[in-house]
Amino acid sequence: MLIPDALLHRLAAARAVAVLTGAGVSAESGVPTSRGAGGFYEGHRPEDLASPEGFRPDPVLVQRWYRHRRRLVREVAPNPAHHALVRLAALVPRFTLVTQNVDGLHERAGSPHVLRLHGALMESRCATCARSADLDAGPDDALPVRCTCGGLVRPGVVWFGEALLVDVLEAAEQAATTCDVFLSVGTSGLVYPAAALPGMARAAGAFVAEVNPEPSVLAPHLDAVLAGPAGVVLPALVAALETHRAHA
Ligand code: BJW
Ligand code: ZN
């Protein structure tokens, strides 16, 4: 895997690096991407289920979908892409990892202080009183799961039409606008406000590169596109940076 010289030089000199990850980073762990064929559930598109409008008319279907995904995520493990980002963090003075992923695989790989824009799949709360509640309580044929107040239990994720946590979004924007290099990894760049971060970084002067086997809609506006799976490209990038450092 050939790493562009310009990216390597900017990374080697960088004081601050920010990385935005999306579902593609977890694809090689066996977690289906949102917009890939594996994202469909019982014939439904994820974007039709991941919203208050999807939950309200059929909470049993949406709870069953999330329980299915929680079971899957418990069974998978971080892949070389997650591990490479842990190594990359150790090579730069200031490193910020921003993820759209809700699966917790970055944290399980050992990345600290991950800015989770879209929340956490393994957390759940009451949709009425917001008290913490267990979405996995009881068998699948006894859904919907309810809180002691009678409200429906929902996952601790950010659905379409819901606001992201202000502090988390502000920290992500701050990292994007103050970094020297920004990497957008495994995201289609279709979902906002996350999709605005690479452009914000570039407007503020960062070198912005994408890692994706298929160029995203953002690719034409970036400085470099590394075409390939994150689990191959990121370890190669980190190895190239380590070699560059050793010879500098
Ligand atoms: C590989 C690979 C490998 C494969 N290696 N790569 C501006 C313009 C237009 C619309 C909006 C806008 N601002 C806001 C909106 C509305 C909306 C939105 O963006 N809509 C667009 C779809 C049009 N945004 C929102 O509603 C957000 N909220 C908001 O803006 O609130 C405003 C507000 C303020 C005040 C009060 C109230 C509201 C919320 C967005 C929440 C998104 N949530 C989801 C679901 C989370 C829970 C769950 O998982 O169930 O988050 S949607 C889903 O998409 C999930 C993901 O995090 C997110 C992004 O997807 P991602 O990661 O990019 O994955 P994919 O599948 O799209 O792409 C995978 C990529 O990987 C592909 O490119 C592959 O090629 C690649 N890949 N294998 C590397 N091995
Ligand atoms: Zn409640």
Side-chain angles (χ1 to χ4, degrees):
M1 174 80 219
L2 198 60
I3 306 300
D5 269 352
L7 172 59
L8 206 49
H9 284 103
R10 292 290 291 260
L11 264 180
R15 282 158 294 120
V17 172
V19 178
L20 169 69
T21 64
V25 154
S26 295
E28 290 154 85
S29 291
V31 182
T33 59
S34 308
R35 283 158 194 84
F40 275 71
Y41 182 67
E42 296 181 5
H44 299 272
R45 297 184 314 164
E47 51 267 49
D48 294 334
L49 302 179
S51 68
E53 291 72 28
F55 184 55
R56 220 171 286 125
D58 201 344
V60 170
L61 169 67
V62 174
Q63 285 189 348
R64 196 164 60 234
W65 179 49
Y66 279 99
R67 282 162 65 120
H68 162 76
R69 290 174 56 200
R70 283 155 69 106
R71 273 194 286 268
L72 177 101
V73 160
R74 276 189 207 101
E75 285 165 11
V76 302
N79 68 57
H82 298 102
H83 294 302
L85 291 174
V86 178
R87 279 167 62 204
L88 181 59
L91 294 174
V92 287
R94 184 156 63 85
F95 181 85
T96 308
L97 179 54
V98 183
T99 191
Q100 299 168 81
N101 298 344
V102 297
D103 55 34
L105 289 177
H106 284 304
E107 291 85 346
R108 280 168 58 191
S111 284
H113 317 301
V114 182
L115 295 174
R116 289 193 307 217
L117 292 175
H118 296 161
L121 177 67
M122 302 314 289
E123 292 173 9
S124 44
R125 65 175 189 271
C126 172
T128 302
C129 74
R131 255 190 308 231
S132 170
D134 184 8
L135 186 53
D136 294 321
D140 276 2
D141 57 11
L143 299 180
V145 183
R146 289 187 182 277
C147 169
T148 47
C149 82
L152 292 160
V153 176
R154 59 159 291 172
V157 299
V158 180
W159 280 334
F160 281 116
E162 295 183 326
L164 281 65
L165 284 180
V166 173
D167 292 359
V168 177
L169 181 58
E170 281 180 1
E173 290 174 345
Q174 169 80 8
T177 53
T178 57
C179 67
D180 305 299
V181 176
F182 186 100
L183 301 177
S184 177
V185 187
T187 177
S188 59
L190 294 172
V191 176
Y192 285 82
L197 294 171
M200 288 173 76
R202 194 142 189 264
F207 186 97
V208 183
E210 166 173 289
V211 177
N212 200 315
E214 308 287 336
S216 80
V217 294
L218 306 175
H221 313 287
L222 307 181
D223 297 299
V225 176
L226 282 71
V232 173
V233 176
L234 289 180
L237 176 65
V238 172
L241 184 59
E242 284 168 343
T243 306
H244 188 279
R245 282 283 168 82
H247 294 96

